[in-house]
Amino acid sequence: MALPVSVLLALVMLCSSPACPLGCDLPLSHGNQEAFTLLSQMERISIRSCLKDRADFRFPQMLVDGHQLEKTQAAAVVHETLQQIFRLFSTSGSPAAWDDTLLDQFLVGLYQQLDDLETCLGKETKVQQSPLGSENSRLAVKRYFHRISLYLKEKEYSACAWEVVSVEIRRCFLFMNKLTGKLSK
Amino acid sequence: MLALLGAMALVLVAGAPWVLPAAAGGTNLESPRDVEVYIVDDSFILKWNRGSESLSNVTFSVDYQIPEMDDWTELPGCQYITSTQCDFSSLQLNVYDELKLRIRAEKGNNTSPWYEVDSFIPFHKAQIGPPEVHLEAEDKAIIINISPPGTKDGVMWAMDSSSFIYNLVIWKNSSPAEERTETVYPTDKIYKLSPETTYCLKVKARLRMQRKVGLYSPVYCINTTVENKLPPPENIQIDGNNQNYILKWDYKYENLTFQAQWLHAYLKKIPGKHADKWKQIPDCENVKTTQCVFPQSVFSRGIYFIRVQASNGNSTSLWSEEKKFDTEIQTIILPPVINLKPVNDSLRVYIGAPKESENKSVDEDYPLIYEIIFWENTSNIQNKIVEKKTDFTFRNLKPLTVYCVRARALIHYEKWNKSSGFSDTVCEKTKPGNTSKTLLIIAVICAVLLSIPVVVYVVKVVLRCVKYVFFPSSKPPSAVDECFSEHLLKNLLLSTSAEQIERCFIIENTNAIAAVEETNDVDEDYKKYNSQTSQDSGNYSNEEDNSGSGISEELLLQETL
């Protein structure tokens, strides 16, 4: 048990050093901005009428402290977050009131970002399987979205619940912007 | 003695953990051994082996603990069981939270010590199970429809339903050794198959970029159908041109009509059937040629799939292969503009943007790199380099030689290989060798040449000065002569009488000294004119009080002559 862990740690250390840079030259922040705007445009009910439905989803601390993440971890967090947002808005339960065209555009944008990120990072993971740090980071993101999914289920996918979630996701994009800035260096 | 006591204390302390559990449980029973957790999709199974005593009437109980709990809780369905495994899938656990398990054996009133399994996160430990596959055969293709692993309401992969990608292995039943592996979407097609053949395949799911690879599904076999009379169109190409896209394809036969459809690429990522989501491309319905043109406004920025079908009125062909179409890739890159500048023995290259860039030019987001080919005009050897900078230098070139350069822009991006055409060839001759040395010599010569007249002039002046000081001429200047000769002599002789004094103003540029005379008439203004030249060595000053003495000196001079 100890040996594989130390090997993984070594890999994490190795890939934090300049010797192992992530060659991703991606215009991700562009996509984040668009997605943010689309979400704002999709708003149907003012959040002010949904104040009673507010909830604390316990936004993962690592997204807030984004600058402390290593590059591989940051990439994993961004990838996982984008995947989760894509899943959240593409599976059934999205409110009928939302504009289909805007929703389509939103999903298209997310898909593009994911495609770009996967193409770029796919080459990296051939070298080493995702190190332990990335796995834990992904888990934190999954837990966060799990809480959001449970909340929606509990509120029976009401329009207000969706607006609350929409606001929360916009917050995600803001923080991801910081992380993607780190990735493209 | 003290050391002995210390050693005994150490033994006691070390021994305590060993002693206490034995005291808590029974002394006879051994804890279960080789306890392992097996998680596949949503099924959680704990397996173990009995202790060394293979006795009957031994039962086992399992407790669990999750972060929200303060203490151990009995695991339902796993209390006092006789078998050596227990399924606790029904427990609605949060698969992302840490889980702790402990197990012990019981016999009558005796209990073994608890054996604690290392705490773990179910999601990390879980194995991806086999996916479910539905097949539909065409003549040269098989349509596959894959359901994600786990059950529909399963919890384990609920957050990853759209993150799975699938590896498919397919082979002809008649030749199992020749397999083909492909990465497929949940809804996809396998092409390039032979009609009327039995194919077998198996699929496994994978979570991209996470260390999880699933188990293979069972092998499914299916027969491809008889070859369809109308084959599907082939070789679909899409090119951008000004404001339009041109969709082209190949078809064997003539006199047929075609139609083209498109689908958002992201829909492929979501499991489920999307047959109804394909939409017609306007201007590409019932076209008689093997191409159609439609405006770029039809597709907003994104990734799409396009398929084409042929029809002869009675029957239709099957759909062609789905062509992935990324609007970003359709941008045309114009060749760059090169400027060459010879500098000493190097050639400085400036790569500039093309003169006219179309409206739909490459985003600044996608950086360009340049492939530069450069060669000596007289030789055939071409050197190729790839450069990211737009301003660089070729060094150590031969002097007075003509070098030629041409370049093209490439999109520096993993996703695609798009390049512009080559720019015009630009040739430039390098500067002559040792130019710096030559310049230096020329500069020195010029300096020397320029300085000669200056030096001569300065020497002349100095000589004159020296001559003036040490070898003065015996005659006073002519102008002064006229003025002073009579008047001054008279003054000298008749210095006491003040009546006949004439004021004499001599102003001469070169050799003058101004004579200032005072009159006894106090009312009159007296003006002084003082001028000095550089030739006067400063013995005569401008000031009034000195003027008198200056004059007297001149007079003295006059006297001595």
Side-chain angles (χ1 to χ4, degrees):
Chain A
M1 182 63 189
L3 188 60
V5 168
S6 54
V7 166
L8 286 166
L9 275 171
L11 280 169
V12 170
M13 298 294 281
L14 198 66
C15 284
S16 341
S17 70
C20 188
L22 267 180
C24 286
D25 230 348
L26 300 172
L28 284 175
S29 54
H30 184 53
N32 281 342
Q33 185 59 45
E34 269 186 35
F36 186 96
T37 314
L38 283 166
L39 270 178
S40 312
Q41 288 173 332
M42 281 196 269
E43 192 181 291
R44 278 286 156 268
I45 320 172
S46 165
I47 193 66
R48 267 168 286 172
S49 54
C50 297
L51 292 175
K52 61 170 171 46
D53 286 316
R54 278 176 306 167
D56 176 19
F57 300 107
R58 302 202 305 275
F59 193 75
Q61 198 57 34
M62 77 176 64
L63 282 189
V64 178
D65 306 330
H67 59 276
Q68 288 178 13
L69 288 176
E70 299 303 334
K71 252 189 174 173
T72 41
Q73 274 185 299
V77 166
V78 171
H79 182 253
E80 190 63 39
T81 311
L82 287 173
Q83 264 189 340
Q84 291 298 333
I85 299 174
F86 181 84
R87 183 200 56 80
L88 192 66
F89 285 87
S90 59
T91 50
S92 60
S94 313
W98 280 4
D99 190 331
D100 269 342
T101 321
L102 289 173
L103 188 60
D104 254 354
Q105 269 186 287
F106 179 68
L107 289 170
V108 165
L110 278 176
Y111 177 82
Q112 184 128 37
Q113 281 189 278
L114 273 167
D115 206 39
D116 291 351
L117 194 56
E118 279 166 7
T119 315
C120 178
L121 295 178
K123 302 201 163 112
E124 308 296 325
T125 50
K126 280 198 185 92
V127 177
Q128 95 278 343
Q129 290 298 306
S130 49
L132 204 60
S134 298
E135 290 289 308
N136 286 335
S137 311
R138 277 184 190 273
L139 196 68
V141 175
K142 282 200 221 275
R143 280 198 191 115
Y144 169 67
F145 279 93
H146 186 60
R147 289 191 282 271
I148 295 179
S149 292
L150 286 174
Y151 164 86
L152 276 171
K153 215 171 181 179
E154 194 188 300
K155 297 279 180 183
E156 292 174 345
Y157 301 93
S158 70
C160 260
W162 270 111
E163 291 301 334
V164 169
V165 168
S166 173
V167 167
E168 187 70 25
I169 301 298
R170 270 176 265 175
R171 185 187 185 184
C172 280
F173 280 121
L174 285 174
F175 282 105
M176 268 215 290
N177 237 357
K178 286 190 199 165
L179 281 180
T180 51
K182 192 187 173 80
L183 274 182
S184 49
K185 274 177 200 150
Chain B
M1 186 61 181
L2 218 63
L4 196 65
L5 274 171
M8 278 187 68
L10 265 172
V11 168
L12 276 169
V13 167
W18 295 77
V19 170
L20 286 168
T27 44
N28 298 335
L29 280 179
E30 262 188 55
S31 310
R33 276 194 260 163
D34 310 323
V35 186
E36 291 279 346
V37 183
Y38 295 93
I39 308 179
V40 178
D41 293 339
D42 289 292
S43 108
F44 295 69
I45 298 176
L46 189 69
K47 286 189 186 167
W48 60 90
N49 286 331
R50 295 168 195 275
S52 52
E53 312 152 26
S54 54
L55 297 170
S56 53
N57 296 338
V58 178
T59 57
F60 303 95
S61 295
V62 186
D63 285 352
Y64 77 103
Q65 191 178 19
I66 51 179
E68 289 108 57
M69 298 171 169
D70 293 326
D71 207 354
W72 293 94
T73 313
E74 290 181 355
L75 192 59
C78 298
Q79 299 298 308
Y80 304 107
I81 51 174
T82 47
S83 62
T84 55
Q85 73 173 51
C86 166
D87 185 328
F88 56 101
S89 317
S90 51
L91 191 71
Q92 296 290 328
L93 288 167
N94 182 340
V95 298
Y96 307 109
D97 281 343
E98 241 183 43
L99 178 66
K100 281 201 257 191
L101 293 171
R102 65 178 187 180
I103 182 171
R104 70 174 177 192
E106 297 118 0
K107 187 180 177 184
N109 278 336
N110 278 342
T111 55
S112 75
W114 284 109
Y115 176 86
E116 247 187 72
V117 180
D118 290 334
S119 76
F120 62 96
I121 296 171
F123 181 80
H124 277 162
K125 234 181 162 59
Q127 165 86 48
I128 304 177
E132 205 180 297
V133 183
H134 291 282
L135 301 175
E136 202 184 305
E138 289 183 353
D139 59 344
K140 291 187 186 160
I142 296 175
I143 302 173
I144 53 170
N145 210 308
I146 307 173
S147 310
T151 56
K152 204 168 178 209
D153 301 319
V155 180
M156 187 59 73
W157 314 121
M159 296 279 120
D160 296 287
S161 54
S162 51
S163 317
F164 282 116
I165 54 167
Y166 302 94
N167 283 3
L168 177 134
V169 182
I170 187 167
W171 62 93
K172 275 191 205 170
N173 202 12
S174 48
S175 50
E178 296 165 19
E179 344 179 290
R180 211 168 90 191
T181 313
E182 273 184 36
T183 306
V184 294
Y185 290 109
T187 317
D188 215 332
K189 257 179 162 181
I190 320 286
Y191 296 102
K192 299 185 175 62
L193 303 175
S194 323
E196 291 179 284
T197 325
T198 311
Y199 283 96
C200 294
L201 53 86
K202 59 181 182 180
V203 183
K204 71 177 176 193
R206 199 157 58 89
L207 273 179
R208 233 199 251 248
M209 300 209 274
Q210 296 166 67
R211 294 177 297 170
K212 280 202 185 300
V213 181
L215 301 166
Y216 269 114
S217 70
V219 175
Y220 297 91
C221 292
I222 192 167
N223 290 339
T224 47
T225 62
V226 173
E227 189 167 347
N228 207 337
K229 282 192 206 108
L230 287 178
E234 285 178 340
N235 204 14
I236 300 181
Q237 306 261 352
I238 308 166
D239 288 311
N241 179 10
N242 286 339
Q243 301 299 316
N244 298 326
Y245 287 119
I246 304 173
L247 179 66
K248 289 186 219 168
W249 57 90
D250 297 336
Y251 203 69
K252 250 196 281 188
Y253 307 123
E254 297 184 357
N255 288 335
L256 284 140
T257 54
F258 303 93
Q259 62 161 334
Q261 288 185 342
W262 66 271
L263 179 78
H264 278 302
Y266 76 82
L267 286 169
K268 288 253 179 197
K269 217 172 146 71
I270 309 165
K273 284 209 167 164
H274 308 294
D276 52 341
K277 303 255 171 59
W278 285 93
K279 298 196 181 93
Q280 294 291 128
I281 301 179
D283 303 333
C284 289
E285 284 179 84
N286 296 327
V287 289
K288 298 245 165 70
T289 54
T290 57
Q291 70 166 51
C292 67
V293 179
F294 54 91
Q296 283 189 0
S297 51
V298 169
F299 290 115
S300 51
R301 178 177 151 174
I303 309 177
Y304 304 88
F305 281 104
I306 296 193
R307 62 181 189 181
V308 185
Q309 183 184 55
S311 145
N312 69 355
N314 285 339
S315 54
T316 55
S317 74
L318 294 165
W319 287 103
S320 66
E321 270 192 48
E322 288 158 15
K323 173 86 179 169
K324 197 169 186 185
F325 167 49
D326 188 341
T327 54
E328 292 285 290
I329 304 180
Q330 297 313 314
T331 53
I332 300 168
I333 317 170
L334 291 171
V337 172
I338 305 182
N339 269 317
L340 290 183
K341 191 170 156 189
V343 176
N344 293 341
D345 63 346
S346 321
L347 209 57
R348 193 151 172 199
V349 185
Y350 298 95
I351 301 180
K355 278 171 272 184
E356 326 122 9
S357 22
E358 297 183 356
N359 279 345
K360 208 166 183 233
S361 60
V362 180
D363 249 348
E364 280 152 9
D365 299 328
Y366 296 106
L368 292 170
I369 58 170
Y370 302 95
E371 187 184 281
I372 298 121
I373 303 184
F374 108 104
W375 66 96
E376 255 179 83
N377 201 13
T378 46
S379 86
N380 276 333
I381 311 163
Q382 297 197 334
N383 298 311
K384 197 193 282 194
I385 61 162
V386 175
E387 186 63 63
K388 208 170 176 179
K389 297 179 279 191
T390 53
D391 177 6
F392 58 93
T393 313
F394 288 120
R395 294 184 194 281
N396 296 325
L397 303 175
K398 293 189 228 164
L400 287 171
T401 324
V402 179
Y403 285 93
C404 293
V405 172
R406 67 181 188 142
R408 64 178 177 167
L410 302 167
I411 294 248
H412 171 52
Y413 189 43
E414 327 289 348
K415 226 171 148 179
W416 70 80
N417 285 327
K418 192 114 177 142
S419 66
S420 71
F422 271 105
S423 66
D424 295 329
T425 306
V426 179
C427 296
E428 198 59 63
K429 197 176 194 178
T430 47
K431 291 256 166 79
N434 297 331
T435 40
S436 51
K437 271 195 207 160
T438 328
L439 278 170
L440 196 66
I441 294 166
I442 293 168
V444 165
I445 291 170
C446 279
V448 165
L449 286 171
L450 277 171
S451 62
I452 288 173
V454 172
V455 167
V456 165
Y457 183 68
V458 166
V459 165
K460 213 170 151 186
V461 165
V462 167
L463 277 174
R464 215 191 297 181
C465 225
V466 165
K467 200 171 133 190
Y468 190 81
V469 170
F470 294 109
F471 310 106
S473 59
S474 44
K475 280 172 67 178
S478 50
V480 177
D481 206 22
E482 284 170 18
C483 186
F484 275 127
S485 47
E486 290 176 24
H487 293 253
L488 280 173
L489 281 172
K490 273 190 195 166
N491 269 334
L492 272 172
L493 296 168
L494 308 165
S495 57
T496 46
S497 68
E499 301 92 25
Q500 287 180 333
I501 284 180
E502 285 185 42
R503 270 182 284 160
C504 191
F505 299 95
I506 303 164
I507 302 163
E508 205 181 303
N509 280 335
T510 49
N511 287 325
I513 169 184
V516 177
E517 301 210 21
E518 278 189 332
T519 59
N520 286 336
D521 202 332
V522 184
D523 294 322
E524 271 195 64
D525 293 315
Y526 55 92
K527 292 174 191 165
K528 298 182 194 186
Y529 295 91
N530 293 313
S531 78
Q532 280 192 338
T533 67
S534 57
Q535 293 195 341
D536 302 317
S537 53
N539 285 332
Y540 316 102
S541 74
N542 277 339
E543 282 156 26
E544 187 190 344
D545 45 6
N546 280 340
S547 56
S549 61
I551 290 168
S552 59
E553 278 184 2
E554 167 79 330
L555 294 171
L556 275 169
L557 269 170
Q558 294 277 21
E559 280 186 325
T560 54
L561 292 171

